[in-house]
RNA sequence: GCGCGAUUAGCUCAGUUGGAUAGAGCGUUGGCCUCCGGAGCCAAAGGCCGCAGGUUCGAAUCCUGCAUCGCGCGCCA
């Protein structure tokens, strides 16, 4: 505890962040001057916004705040161009002029930009801007140059983010239901990192409470039975076969405390292995017991005491969380002098703050949503802004096989483990499945569906797209077609890419940085999944449409070279996006043929 | 009873933070293999965005009420 989160930083992929990544500053790139090279979508938007701002401010005294609500978006319809700007509508009231009039006035300023091809005013006052194809094509070079860093962005104000997730009781293996929170937390962490924050992932281990004591008692019970004694399992004891197995490993003279410790250690080891095999790496396992023995609970209670938000009543100590938006006050110290769970939770969150994190994200099961207000209240009482803590609630997942519910009885120890699920359907499919819905929508996980090779299970569709691209490159090599290398790609004449389908793919690819950012900011990993499906779809469509008439690898040399640059760039984008999801990007799909 | 979440095509769900004529997959119907992998593609049909008000240039999106479903409301962990 107490280490500086800024130290020993690694990105989500376990790579040390090298100077190459740090060097990539979009602003500096832009500052290099009028070069078309490296103008990505974000840079285009920045320039459009700047042009609008300059034009407006030259003729009226508008403030930054007036300009803030101006949005630059992708129009729903392609005939509306590449960007739609709502500035005229937003400012109509303020300027006391009609939107269309304002829009007409702004158009010339935008037309002056070299990358702008056409500006039209349409509808209620939208300014529609089309960008020259050559500017779009240069995105391809940018993608190849940035490689695995394409899509990464910098933040003006990066934050020290702690993503706490899974945090399952160390009293048994991970249940399949933990899988959703695990993957959502993991991908969220990757997205936050990739979009410019500094991120640590943590698993909070409840190793001090009654649950682990119960586990120890259950083990003790089995130990006695093995020794021939009559012994009854505790009321709410643990039933799984692993309990009996653990009992056999315990030395006969082990104390209850020793059993507890050994059991927790064994359980955690299993959990670590499950997570690791599911592609999830934690930076730290935070022990509740360590917090307790370090006196952190008292410290937290003391801190609240100092702030005057505690109250003694009925022999207990209450935190007046109701003063900070919670429904009612909550007990921290019970009549019998012991702490409630809430007290240790406060201590843990305070510890996170003390370690320098300024953005706390917790991924919780939706059944814990009732705890959100009190936890936020505690942080506010400690002087934090209300949004210092963000709880992402993941809804329940029900396990289904061919549409029929898979029955489980926790009592009888019949739980389906996370491991069973990902071993049956595969890690890629399991992860993708958990990610394909928004966290707050309930979902069914159909085991048969997840294994099926159909579009119900879009991971295959996406991976196939990647494999297809790889296959194209292999085919090109076989035919002796020159595949452009990184340094020669910039000398390829990209103006040979003229098909609308090609431009569509290029524009989609350019969106990755924004998609990543938005998915991170709105805590919605599924947005990246949808993006991927659309991007891959646009490629499959292109591939099929021209496969007969004008195949990618066939034809005049310059055209083929330009298309291969497109192929290389798309492969890179797919890889980066899949990597963010923790899903593999296979070069061939032959595993399916062996089934 | 109170709180949180949900309600969008037959089904499962998106909807770029308030934008233009509402989107995808599955399913249904009808097409496309002389082709770099058809594990693919194209097209059609399918909508009172739960209901009723309100806010404004503009609402599936924001506010209020109602309905239905799910989940929470212990000095449990």
């Amino acid at each position: 505890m107490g280490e500086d989160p800024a130290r020993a930083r690694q990105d989500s992929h376990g790579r040390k962040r090298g100077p190459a990544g740090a060097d990539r500053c979009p602003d500096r790139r832009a500052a290099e001057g009028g070069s078309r090279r490296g103008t990505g979508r974000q840079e285009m938007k920045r320039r459009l916004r700047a042009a609008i701002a300059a034009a407006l401010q030259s003729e009226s005294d508008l403030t930054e705040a007036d300009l803030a609500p101006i949005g630059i978006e992708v129009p729903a319809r392609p005939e509306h161009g590449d960007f739609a700007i709502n500035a005229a509508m937003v400012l109509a009231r303020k300027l006391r002029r009609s939107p269309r009039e304002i829009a007409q006035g702004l158009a010339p300023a935008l037309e002056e930009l070299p990358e702008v091809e056409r500006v039209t005013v349409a509808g209620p006052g939208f300014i529609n801007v089309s960008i020259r194809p050559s500017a779009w094509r240069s995105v391809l070079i940018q993608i190849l140059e940035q490689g695995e860093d394409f899509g990464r962005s910098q933040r003006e104000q990066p934050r020290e983010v702690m993503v706490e997730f899974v945090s399952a009781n160390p009293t048994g293996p991970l249940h399949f239901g933990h899988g959703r929170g695990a993957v959502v937390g993991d991908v969220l962490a990757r997205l936050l990192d990739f979009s410019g924050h500094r991120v640590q992932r943590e698993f909070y281990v409840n190793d001090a409470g009654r649950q682990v004591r119960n586990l120890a008692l259950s083990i003790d019970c089995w130990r006695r039975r093995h020794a021939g004694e009559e012994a009854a399992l505790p009321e709410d004891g643990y039933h799984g076969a692993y309990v009996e197995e653990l009992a056999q490993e315990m030395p006969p003279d082990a104390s209850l405390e020793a059993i507890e410790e050994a059991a927790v250690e064994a359980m955690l080891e299993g959990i670590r292995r499950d997570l690791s095999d599911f592609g999830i790496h934690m930076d730290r396992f935070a022990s509740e017991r360590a917090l307790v023995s370090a006196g952190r609970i008292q410290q937290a209670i003391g801190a609240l005491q100092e702030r005057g938000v505690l109250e003694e009543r009925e022999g207990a100590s209450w935190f007046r969380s109701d003063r900070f938006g919670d429904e009612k006050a909550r007990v921290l110290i019970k009549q019998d002098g012991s702490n409630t769970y809430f007290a240790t939770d406060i201590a843990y969150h305070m510890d996170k703050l003390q370690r320098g994190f300024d953005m706390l994200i917790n991924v919780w099961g939706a059944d814990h949503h009732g705890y959100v207000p009190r936890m936020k209240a505690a942080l506010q009482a400690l002087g934090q802004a209300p949004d210092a803590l963000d709880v992402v609630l993941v809804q329940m997942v029900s396990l289904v096989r061919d549409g029929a519910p898979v029955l489980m009885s926790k009592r009888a120890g019949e739980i389906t483990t996370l491991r069973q699920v990902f071993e049956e359907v595969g890690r890629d499919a399991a992860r993708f499945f958990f990610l394909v819905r928004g966290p707050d929508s309930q979902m069914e996980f159909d085991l048969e569906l997840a294994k099926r090779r159909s579009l119900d299970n879009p991971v295959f569709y996406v991976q196939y797209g990647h494999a297809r691209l790889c296959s194209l490159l292999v085919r090109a090599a076989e035919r002796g077609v020159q595949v452009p290398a990184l340094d020669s790609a910039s000398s390829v004449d990209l103006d040979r890419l003229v098909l609308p389908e090609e431009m569509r793919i290029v524009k989609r690819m350019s969106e990755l940085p924004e998609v990543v950012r938005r998915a991170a900011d709105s805590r919605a990993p599924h947005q990246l999944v949808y993006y991927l499906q659309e991007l891959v779809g646009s490629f499959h469509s292109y591939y099929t449409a021209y496969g007969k008439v004008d195949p990618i690898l066939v034809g005049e040399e310059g055209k083929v070279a330009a298309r291969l640059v497109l192929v290389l760039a798309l492969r890179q984008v797919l890889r980066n996006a899949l990597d963010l999801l923790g899903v593999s990007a296979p070069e061939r799909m032959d595993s399916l043929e062996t089934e």
Side-chain angles (χ1 to χ4, degrees):
Chain A
M1 232 170 293
E3 65 254 60
D4 173 8
R7 208 184 328 141
R9 178 81 49 208
Q10 290 193 329
D11 70 18
S12 323
H13 313 280
R15 286 181 271 112
K16 287 269 188 252
R17 189 184 286 163
D23 239 358
R24 295 210 166 78
C25 169
D27 291 336
R28 206 195 62 170
R29 199 174 277 287
E32 279 164 8
S35 157
R36 288 180 3 208
R37 177 70 47 86
T39 53
R41 172 181 291 269
Q42 285 169 307
E43 177 62 11
M44 292 176 188
K45 285 170 75 166
R46 199 192 63 73
R47 287 166 57 88
L48 291 174
R49 186 178 288 278
I52 296 257
L56 283 169
Q57 281 167 337
S58 67
E59 61 169 88
S60 58
D61 51 343
L62 292 169
T63 63
E64 285 298 317
D66 293 324
L67 303 179
I70 295 176
I72 304 181
E73 287 169 4
V74 183
R77 309 184 150 272
E79 62 266 31
H80 292 143
D82 294 317
F83 296 104
I85 307 174
N86 64 2
M89 280 121 74
V90 171
L91 295 170
R93 177 176 293 250
K94 181 97 185 168
L95 298 178
R96 300 174 190 230
R97 283 156 57 200
S98 82
R100 292 198 66 107
E101 191 186 331
I102 299 172
Q104 296 293 356
L106 289 173
L110 295 170
E111 280 164 347
E112 278 175 23
L113 294 172
E115 67 270 32
V116 169
E117 182 173 61
R118 186 163 33 90
V119 180
T120 54
V121 175
F126 285 104
I127 304 171
N128 292 330
V129 179
S130 296
I131 301 296
R132 288 183 197 285
S134 58
W136 286 119
R137 293 184 193 113
S138 72
V139 170
L140 294 172
I141 301 300
Q142 193 184 1
I143 293 168
L144 294 183
E145 281 178 355
Q146 295 188 12
E148 61 186 11
D149 281 320
F150 177 72
R152 186 186 287 283
S153 47
Q154 262 76 40
R155 297 270 180 178
E156 320 66 57
Q157 296 176 325
R159 302 183 66 175
E160 300 293 339
V161 186
M162 145 87 63
V163 182
E164 183 214 322
F165 59 117
V166 191
S167 297
N169 280 330
T171 52
L174 291 177
H175 181 267
F176 95 96
H178 289 125
R180 188 175 191 182
V183 180
V184 167
D186 178 50
V187 175
L188 218 43
R190 294 178 195 232
L191 288 167
L192 287 160
D193 174 288
F194 210 60
S195 68
H197 292 298
R198 290 193 274 265
V199 184
Q200 294 274 289
R201 312 114 172 275
E202 206 156 288
F203 181 123
Y204 181 53
V205 186
N206 294 122
D207 52 5
R210 220 183 86 195
Q211 296 298 336
V212 288
R213 173 50 55 106
N214 242 325
L215 176 65
L217 286 168
S218 306
I219 292 169
D220 184 54
C221 162
W222 276 107
R223 193 176 56 166
R224 286 169 196 274
R225 286 181 184 174
H226 288 147
E229 291 178 42
E230 286 280 321
L233 215 53
E235 179 97 5
D236 42 3
Y238 290 87
H239 295 75
Y242 65 91
V243 178
E244 195 179 342
E245 285 163 23
L246 271 174
Q248 280 167 331
E249 294 164 14
M250 295 294 162
D253 57 342
S255 69
L256 211 52
E257 286 70 24
I259 293 178
E260 195 173 299
E261 202 158 324
V264 166
E265 195 41 57
M267 292 296 98
L268 269 183
E269 200 186 307
I271 287 171
R272 260 183 239 261
R273 195 166 47 239
D274 288 350
L275 287 176
S276 153
D277 290 348
F278 199 35
I280 292 166
H281 158 80
M282 294 286 173
D283 292 304
R284 187 163 173 272
F285 284 73
S287 159
E288 177 190 3
R289 196 185 304 170
L291 282 174
V292 173
S293 62
R296 305 301 287 273
I297 318 296
Q298 275 64 40
Q299 195 185 320
I301 289 173
L304 291 171
Q305 184 95 55
E306 276 174 35
R307 304 237 173 200
V309 295
L310 291 194
E311 192 173 286
E312 302 300 319
R313 177 155 45 98
E314 298 158 31
S317 196
W318 301 67
F319 163 47
R320 291 296 304 276
S321 52
D322 53 327
R323 290 196 208 154
F324 303 93
D326 195 13
E327 294 182 326
K328 53 182 180 183
R330 308 287 175 180
V331 171
L332 294 185
I333 305 174
K334 302 184 241 178
Q335 278 184 340
D336 66 4
S338 62
N339 305 315
T340 59
Y341 217 88
F342 184 36
T344 55
D345 279 343
I346 294 176
Y348 176 43
H349 284 79
M350 208 170 108
D351 176 68
K352 292 180 185 175
L353 296 173
Q354 286 168 346
R355 282 189 281 151
F357 295 102
D358 58 10
M359 184 188 254
L360 308 183
I361 297 179
N362 293 355
V363 180
W364 285 357
D367 52 343
H368 291 92
H369 70 255
Y371 296 81
V372 176
R374 75 187 65 167
M375 203 64 244
K376 281 177 168 290
L379 286 165
Q380 257 180 276
L382 291 170
Q384 294 296 309
D387 64 349
L389 171 68
D390 195 357
V391 180
V392 177
L393 296 171
V394 293
Q395 284 289 344
M396 227 170 51
V397 187
S398 44
L399 196 60
V400 165
R401 189 181 289 282
D402 279 330
V406 175
L407 296 177
M408 273 172 293
S409 156
K410 198 163 189 177
R411 187 164 175 73
E414 294 166 9
I415 56 163
T416 303
T417 63
L418 175 59
R419 176 169 293 278
Q420 283 172 315
V421 170
F422 71 70
E423 283 184 348
E424 177 172 346
V425 308
R427 171 168 140 179
D428 287 342
R431 289 186 62 111
F432 210 98
F433 231 76
F434 280 126
L435 290 169
V436 82
R437 303 291 174 229
D440 58 7
S441 76
Q442 297 177 25
M443 60 171 278
E444 288 187 347
F445 192 119
D446 192 316
L447 289 164
E448 294 306 320
L449 213 57
K451 283 192 288 186
R452 204 173 300 159
R453 276 55 174 147
S454 74
L455 294 189
D456 293 331
N457 187 356
V459 64
F460 292 100
Y461 183 75
V462 172
Q463 287 182 320
Y464 176 49
H466 181 266
R468 213 171 211 184
L469 292 163
C470 293
S471 168
L472 274 172
L473 294 168
V474 169
R475 198 72 42 180
E478 282 172 7
R479 296 184 179 190
V481 175
Q482 180 90 29
V483 177
L486 216 174
D487 49 352
S488 63
S490 54
S491 62
V492 171
D493 179 15
L494 296 178
D495 289 345
R496 306 304 298 276
L497 297 171
V498 290
L499 298 170
E501 288 83 356
E502 292 166 341
M503 294 313 293
R504 182 167 162 229
I505 294 170
V506 172
K507 290 175 187 178
R508 280 254 160 79
M509 286 194 279
S510 75
E511 289 177 36
L512 182 67
E514 287 173 314
V515 170
V516 168
R517 225 179 146 108
R518 200 176 68 234
D521 290 346
S522 52
R523 326 277 186 241
H526 70 282
Q527 292 181 356
L528 182 59
V529 175
Y530 275 83
Y531 166 76
L532 244 185
Q533 292 184 78
E534 257 185 53
L535 179 60
V536 170
S538 65
F539 168 65
H540 281 314
S541 183
Y542 164 60
Y543 182 93
T544 309
Y546 292 92
K548 272 184 198 172
V549 207
D550 181 15
I552 293 172
L553 297 178
V554 178
E556 196 262 323
E557 196 178 324
K559 185 209 71 174
V560 172
R563 288 181 172 183
L564 284 174
V565 170
L566 176 75
V567 166
L568 286 167
L570 180 56
R571 187 178 65 160
Q572 186 69 60
V573 173
L574 295 187
R575 281 183 178 173
N576 293 4
L578 283 168
D579 198 32
L580 282 165
L581 300 177
V583 172
S584 68
E587 302 197 354
R588 283 191 307 275
M589 299 299 284
D590 46 14
S591 64
L592 299 182
E593 289 162 14
T594 60
E595 297 258 330

